[in-house]
Amino acid sequence: MLEKLLDMIRAEFPLTEKEGAARRFEAMGMAFEARAYAAEGLGHVGVMTAQGPMQMQTLVINPFELDAPIFSYDRIHAMGQEIMVAEMYNSLLGDSFCADGMIRAIGDSAGIPEEKQEYWYTPLIVPPGLNEKGTIDDAARFDGIAGDYVKAYLAAAKAAQPCKPDQKKLKAAVYSEGLLKHGGPATDPVKAAMGEAFTADLFQQTLFGA
């Protein structure tokens, strides 16, 4: 599904892979591969996959050229289970981003986890988000929801005001640098396995392009 989502982005904002940004490492018994793209007219796109006991896919859009929020998508396939989590984080400079189309696109799939855990970044979350759990039988349905969600996000981003990348990067760093400082469910295992320097490089150069 990750490549299909990249194709959706590419159709609206031409992608160029960033040289020297690819990273490979092992953590939690899995082999990770991450790469980064410059999205013309949008900003930075980071992707990461993991193979092992679980299969994981991550997509991050950090829109430095348009005043849209940071976009994060995670998909996990593990022991016949399907998990999909997608959220946006506030990096906005103004109020031109409108998520109404996203709410309509995903309908009843918009929601929060059944047992919502508070993290330091919880106040930065911009609705609507996705939190879907099911079995392998739900995989195709989850793919459809993810496609609609990303398509609606890209439409909302295109309709948002252009912004100055330098200003947007400073605002976006509140979240990306905060992950390095305060941690998070996906950040802490990488830091424990690979160390702070590698994790900072992975986040700053590959995933978030700060």
Side-chain angles (χ1 to χ4, degrees):
M1 187 62 193
L2 184 59
E3 292 302 322
K4 291 182 179 179
L5 297 181
L6 283 174
D7 285 341
M8 293 176 65
I9 299 171
R10 188 177 288 111
E12 302 292 341
F13 304 97
L15 295 179
T16 302
E17 188 165 357
K18 293 186 175 182
E19 294 184 6
R23 299 289 183 272
R24 293 180 176 84
F25 63 98
E26 293 186 3
M28 302 173 289
M30 296 186 291
F32 288 80
E33 181 175 350
R35 59 191 192 276
Y37 301 86
E40 184 179 334
L42 178 63
H44 179 89
V45 174
V47 298
M48 186 164 66
T49 59
Q51 300 292 328
M54 300 185 296
Q55 287 78 49
M56 302 174 61
Q57 298 179 339
T58 295
L59 168 67
V60 176
I61 303 174
N62 210 351
F64 298 137
E65 298 180 50
L66 294 172
D67 199 17
I70 298 168
F71 176 96
S72 176
Y73 163 89
D74 290 292
R75 186 74 174 270
I76 300 172
H77 314 268
M79 296 180 289
Q81 300 297 304
E82 291 283 327
I83 300 172
M84 178 172 64
V85 178
E87 289 182 326
M88 297 182 290
Y89 303 98
N90 191 353
S91 63
L92 300 170
L93 301 176
D95 58 2
S96 64
F97 182 83
C98 178
D100 289 353
M102 300 181 70
I103 296 173
R104 291 192 297 270
I106 61 179
D108 294 339
S109 295
I112 59 175
E114 294 180 3
E115 297 180 3
K116 185 177 180 181
Q117 184 173 350
E118 296 287 322
Y119 295 101
W120 67 267
Y121 54 79
T122 298
L124 295 177
I125 294 175
V126 177
L130 294 173
N131 192 288
E132 297 279 350
K133 297 180 180 180
T135 69
I136 193 170
D137 293 334
D138 296 301
R141 181 171 65 86
F142 286 6
D143 287 350
I145 295 170
D148 290 343
Y149 188 71
V150 170
K151 183 178 180 179
Y153 171 83
L154 294 174
K158 288 190 72 172
Q161 290 291 322
C163 55
K164 295 182 178 180
D166 289 346
Q167 294 179 357
K168 197 67 176 352
K169 287 182 178 182
L170 287 175
K171 187 67 179 288
V174 173
Y175 176 68
S176 59
E177 293 298 314
L179 285 174
L180 295 171
K181 180 178 180 181
H182 303 293
T187 309
D188 296 339
V190 177
K191 187 181 294 187
M194 303 302 298
E196 292 188 7
F198 179 91
T199 306
D201 180 74
L202 174 69
F203 278 50
Q204 294 166 344
Q205 300 300 320
T206 308
L207 293 180
F208 291 94

